[in-house]
Amino acid sequence: SSSDGFVGDSTEKALLACARDHLSGTIEDLSSYIRIKEKPFSSETKFMTTVYEIPPSSSVSHSKEAYLKGAPEVIFKFCDKIMIAGEAVDIDNNHQTWFDESYQEMALTGER
């Protein structure tokens, strides 16, 4: 655990803190979740996936959650919606262009 209350590696804690700060709803403490499956990161796929069983005491209404992390250009391809001002909207060509330009800018400055 860290001072922000999240458990995991630095990337996982940063993602949870970002979600807490920018998304509506409660971010669950994953320490009580049971990891039931993992697809490790590979340089071929450029992402990893973990699947958790959620304890019945959780505030969510489903029993499993999957988490995906990896290269932004790969993860974005899995998405069909984007959060804008707290609302999930369909990704259109303008969003894709914005993402591509932002990703390239980040890569040029070593932030990728």
Side-chain angles (χ1 to χ4, degrees):
S1 183
S2 66
S3 60
D4 58 18
F6 298 122
V7 175
D9 69 27
S10 58
T11 302
E12 291 167 343
K13 290 190 285 188
L15 290 169
L16 289 166
C18 181
R20 176 201 59 212
D21 295 345
H22 299 286
L23 300 176
S24 60
T26 302
I27 303 302
E28 294 286 323
D29 174 9
L30 298 182
S31 65
S32 64
Y33 287 27
I34 300 166
R35 187 180 294 197
I36 57 176
K37 190 167 184 151
E38 178 178 315
K39 179 181 179 185
F41 182 87
S42 95
S43 57
E44 276 185 36
T45 63
K46 297 183 182 177
F47 71 90
M48 73 169 288
T49 307
T50 54
V51 179
Y52 290 88
E53 185 173 342
I54 302 170
S57 60
S58 173
S59 64
V60 297
S61 61
H62 46 275
S63 62
K64 293 181 180 65
E65 285 183 359
Y67 293 87
L68 179 70
K69 68 178 179 177
E73 72 278 11
V74 173
I75 302 303
F76 197 75
K77 290 178 184 175
F78 284 97
C79 303
D80 63 356
K81 298 201 181 299
I82 189 170
M83 293 292 288
I84 298 177
E87 184 180 339
V89 297
D90 292 335
I91 293 174
D92 62 21
N93 288 337
N94 291 330
H95 298 123
Q96 183 67 54
T97 299
W98 170 85
F99 175 82
D100 293 341
E101 290 171 356
S102 298
Y103 168 75
Q104 290 302 320
E105 184 178 318
M106 289 171 54
L108 289 172
T109 60
E111 297 180 49
R112 152 69 184 89

